[in-house]
Amino acid sequence: MSKLVSVNVGMPKDVRWRDSLVHTGIWKAPVDGPVMVRRLNIEGDGQGDLAGHGGEQRAVMVYQVESYEFWKRYLKRDDLEFGNIGENFTVSGLADDDVCIGDHYRIGGAEFEVTQPRVTCFRVGMRLNEPEMPKLLVAQHRPGFYLRVITEGSVQRGDEIVRTRRGRHQLSVADVDALLYLPHRDAGQLRKAVDVPALSPGWQGSFRELLAAPAESSDRPAWNGFRPLRVTAVCRESESVLSFLLGSDDGSPLPNSLPGQHVTVRIPGAGDPAPLRSYSLSGDPAAGVYRISVKREGHGLVSRWLHDHVQAGSVVDVAAPRGDFTLADGGGPVVLISAGIGATPLLAMLNALAAADGNREVWWLHSTRNRQSLAFEDEVGALVNAQAHAHLRVQYTETDGRLNRRSIEALKLPVDSTVYICGPTQFMTDIRDCLTAIGIDASHIHSELFGALPPINPGVVPAQRRPPHQPPGVPGAGPSVTFARSGLTVNWSSEYRSILELAEACDVPTRFSCRSGVCHVCVTGVVAGTTNYVQPPLELPDPGEVLICSAAPDDDLVLDL
């Protein structure tokens, strides 16, 4: 008979970790006597990061005495105590390879349902001072699991644990954990997993994405590194925007891009080291040539160089098209909303829509300061007129004001539209709010960000962030690492354990969760160069990508970060 060996609680607190503060509730300690278990929590307990922990689906975390004994032997440690893994219930029995998603258990006066395996995150490694612990929990098939509270009630140490129902398909916690985090997934098991009603919505969504993903990715970069392309023409689009047409030296067609993708351009002669910038492709994705359209910025080193020095016959180094902000297949209404130079990726989408059957309902909504700043007027007009169900609206902010809920609501956009937005960050945020307010599903609204992506640093207390800069201390002597989105090149130093740590030292916005090669939150596109894994991840990312939490540069490296 399984038993509840320890009940552990702890409220969130700020903990100093490296150069940051982390708000976390992973510090749990045993309590004596009866404790009430509520729908969202155990009394006296809390979670610091509700995006990844806590809530109805993750009200109670469970870990096993037998796994503690395993880790004492594996890690050669005798200081592990109940609650150290962050669990609320330490139990005897209930092994991860026996407990199934959807199982019901009665403990004391409460009843519970198993909803998902433990979420891998760096805080368990921080708590135990074992940075690889998130990876080890998965690799050794000992993640632990979460419970949903079906019936609130009192529990205490020594209570018997009685299983009252078996979950549908009898998929064990260890099996479901491996489906998400380990390679060689079985499609049949994935289909069973999404058919388990008790499985938490987040995990169901992840499995649906895995089922929908093609066996072989069709959007991998067409070539590695940089390729010299020749400027075949330069066209003025407005008072401040020039378009540069890029082709191969031998005249052979360039690989098709996906509508909405961007390229990273390196400009020899514009600086030392040669600066890099990313520009959306603005032309027909199937034309066999690439077009970038660049607005001259007063303080823009690269934009000014392109405007002043690049002409027909010039050669620039270009990385293959990449990016996930792309036009999805489908037949429903499409709304393209842009401001200023943000029109460029949407213009590629408009080209693709016009080249298709032309029967989709398409809306082109563009905001710009005045008529003098309007780019692509004739081209957009022709593409819209070529489609039977296309609509065009240009709003001049000097005379019409900004696009807002009232002006968007007046257009009566179809609420089943798929929407693509590109422009300044605040513009995209405001437009997204307007669209959801008029009834368009937020999951159907996609936006493009030209600069660094917003960070994902779960639990880390936000601090005043400086613009990306050289790391402190003596400059490294290793390969150069260029963070293309952040416009920064630094030299690698062996004092950093990973590219992620180097990026953090430079205040480059980063994304992570496990920091040990499990979750793939830190996956980053490799524009040029090669890397090696200082700690092998459990599953390699796609070619052309790297998990920066586990990797170091092999040679000069350019990252889409």
Side-chain angles (χ1 to χ4, degrees), residues 141-154:
H141 307 287
R142 294 178 180 271
F145 55 90
Y146 283 104
L147 299 174
R148 180 173 71 88
V149 179
I150 299 173
T151 304
E152 296 181 345
S154 176

Side-chain angles (χ1 to χ4, degrees), residues 101-114:
I101 304 299
D103 283 359
H104 284 201
Y105 291 94
R106 185 174 66 249
I107 308 174
E111 189 171 1
F112 305 88
E113 180 179 61
V114 179

